[in-house]
């Protein structure tokens, strides 16, 4: 198993979409542990690509290739990650988005998959979603909770703008709102008036469980 995990990491690191897809299928066919496949395999690849980018060894096109390979694997594993742990009815409706100006969506996709697996109805609006569209969709589907992901220090500000926009529209209290993404902290979350923050997908599920009775 450790050899396959290493290959998964390398497939993403090298931006090899064909190999990443093949290994994702292999994981499904052989009923490999999904948490291990993600945490010790594919995710390590995108994390190491990030480190190489920071060190100036990878350029943006390299990062794009790694991200594309990661997304290929995620698409194949999606149904398995989303498999509900129990047959319970919907625990609530969640609208997820990567904020306006932010194309990073790998972390958000994982958070969405984990929430779906835990029994929530998740509407994932994708990356780079205009602020008002997030709110309009939450209103439309009668969401219980809005989840906002931001990976850039510059786009974090949109999380605050959405909280303020909800207040302007007089509907802030209708929705629980959580924020996440690598630069986001507890301090930031409470400072902008969010209801919570999590630094990973498992924590996000626990957080949402706590907020939605
Ligand atoms: Co970009 N990027 N990127 N990037 N990228 C970062 C974020 C960066 C830290 C890299 C670096 O310089 N070291 C840096 C940001 C610096 C900063 O703002 N301080 C950066 C930059 C600068 C940029 C560009 C500006 C580069 C450029 O154009 N010159 C550009 C921005 C474009 C834009 O958004 N407008 C850019 C572009 C890209 C790619 C397109 C190439 C690609 C994204 C592809 C995609 O997502 N579809 C990409 C990638 C892959 C990264 C890194 C390497 C990896 C991000 C990732 O997917 N991590 C990243 C470096 C890094 O983070 N170390 C980097 C894996 C993922 C599972 O983790 O997203 O953190 P993460 O999600 C976690 C938690 O944060 C949490 O749970 C998830 C699962 O555990 N979480 C939540 C996330 N959302 C949550 C929401 C919640 C709760 C928890 O509730 C709602």
């Amino acid at each position: 198993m450790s050899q396959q995990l290493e290959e998964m990491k390398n497939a993403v690191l090298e931006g090899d979409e064909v190999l990443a897809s093949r290994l994702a299928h292999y994981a499904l066919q052989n009923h490999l542990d999904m948490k291990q496949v993600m945490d010790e395999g594919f995710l390590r690849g995108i994390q190491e690509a990030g480190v190489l980018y920071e060190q100036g060894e990878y350029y943006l096109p390299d990062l794009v290739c790694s991200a594309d390979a990661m997304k290929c694997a995620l698409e194949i594993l999606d149904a398995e990650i989303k498999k509900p742990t129990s047959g319970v009815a919907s625990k609530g409706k969640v609208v997820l988005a990567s904020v306006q100006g932010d194309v990073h969506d790998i972390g958000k996709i994982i958070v969405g998959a984990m929430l779906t697996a835990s029994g929530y109805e998740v509407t994932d609006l994708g990356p780079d979603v205009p602020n008002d569209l997030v709110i309009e969709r939450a209103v439309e589907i009668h969401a219980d909770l809005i989840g906002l992901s931001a990976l850039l220090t510059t786009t974090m500000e949109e999380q605050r703008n959405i909280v303020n926009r909800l207040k302007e529209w007089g509907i802030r209290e209708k929705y629980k709102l959580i924020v996440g993404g690598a630069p986001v902290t507890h301090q930031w979350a409470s400072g902008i008036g969010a209801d919570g923050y999590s630094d990973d997908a498992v924590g996000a599920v626990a957080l949402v469980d706590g907020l939605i009775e």
Side-chain angles (χ1 to χ4, degrees):
M1 169 85 164
S2 60
Q3 192 200 327
Q4 281 88 9
L5 294 173
E6 196 63 18
E7 284 175 14
M8 288 167 190
K9 182 201 79 178
N10 287 333
V12 171
L13 195 54
E14 285 156 23
D16 189 334
E17 292 184 29
V18 175
L19 185 58
S21 305
R22 184 138 42 86
L23 289 164
H25 282 299
Y26 174 90
L28 286 183
Q29 281 152 10
N30 292 278
H31 308 287
L32 300 188
D33 178 77
M34 267 313 128
K35 186 166 164 32
Q36 232 182 343
V37 163
M38 292 299 292
D39 291 352
E40 296 172 35
F42 295 114
L43 276 178
R44 262 177 63 221
I46 196 72
Q47 282 153 0
E48 287 193 21
V51 172
L52 292 178
Y53 178 70
E54 251 169 67
Q55 293 170 344
E57 283 188 45
Y58 262 27
Y59 296 102
L60 196 59
D62 303 309
L63 206 51
V64 172
C65 289
S66 290
D68 286 348
M70 176 77 207
K71 288 184 89 168
C72 278
L74 264 183
E75 267 167 36
I76 292 161
L77 300 174
D78 189 59
E80 189 62 26
I81 303 173
K82 282 182 178 166
K83 237 180 207 169
T85 45
S86 65
V88 291
S90 167
K91 293 202 298 197
K93 290 183 182 172
V94 175
V95 165
L96 277 186
S98 294
V99 296
Q100 185 170 294
D102 202 321
V103 304
H104 298 89
D105 66 349
I106 293 172
K108 172 190 57 62
I109 290 172
I110 297 172
V111 170
M114 294 294 289
L115 285 171
T116 305
S118 307
Y120 292 95
E121 262 176 83
V122 175
T123 303
D124 186 339
L125 302 179
D128 187 13
V129 186
N131 294 352
D132 284 0
L133 187 67
V134 175
I135 302 175
E136 282 160 14
R137 289 293 283 145
V139 171
E140 227 173 85
I141 67 159
H142 305 287
D144 300 293
L145 183 139
I146 298 172
L148 303 172
S149 184
L151 265 284
L152 299 171
T153 43
T154 47
T155 57
M156 282 166 72
E157 197 55 44
E158 302 302 344
Q159 296 178 331
R160 188 209 304 271
N161 291 340
I162 290 176
V163 173
N164 290 341
R165 199 85 172 121
L166 283 164
K167 286 181 188 162
E168 269 172 47
W169 290 15
I171 53 174
R172 171 66 187 94
E173 301 313 320
K174 278 186 121 179
Y175 308 99
K176 298 290 179 196
L177 186 144
I178 68 164
V179 290
V184 178
T185 60
H186 271 297
Q187 209 184 3
W188 169 258
S190 57
I192 63 169
D195 296 303
Y197 151 81
S198 166
D199 64 359
D200 65 17
V202 175
V205 173
L207 180 63
V208 175
D209 280 345
L211 289 170
I212 299 181
E213 300 290 356

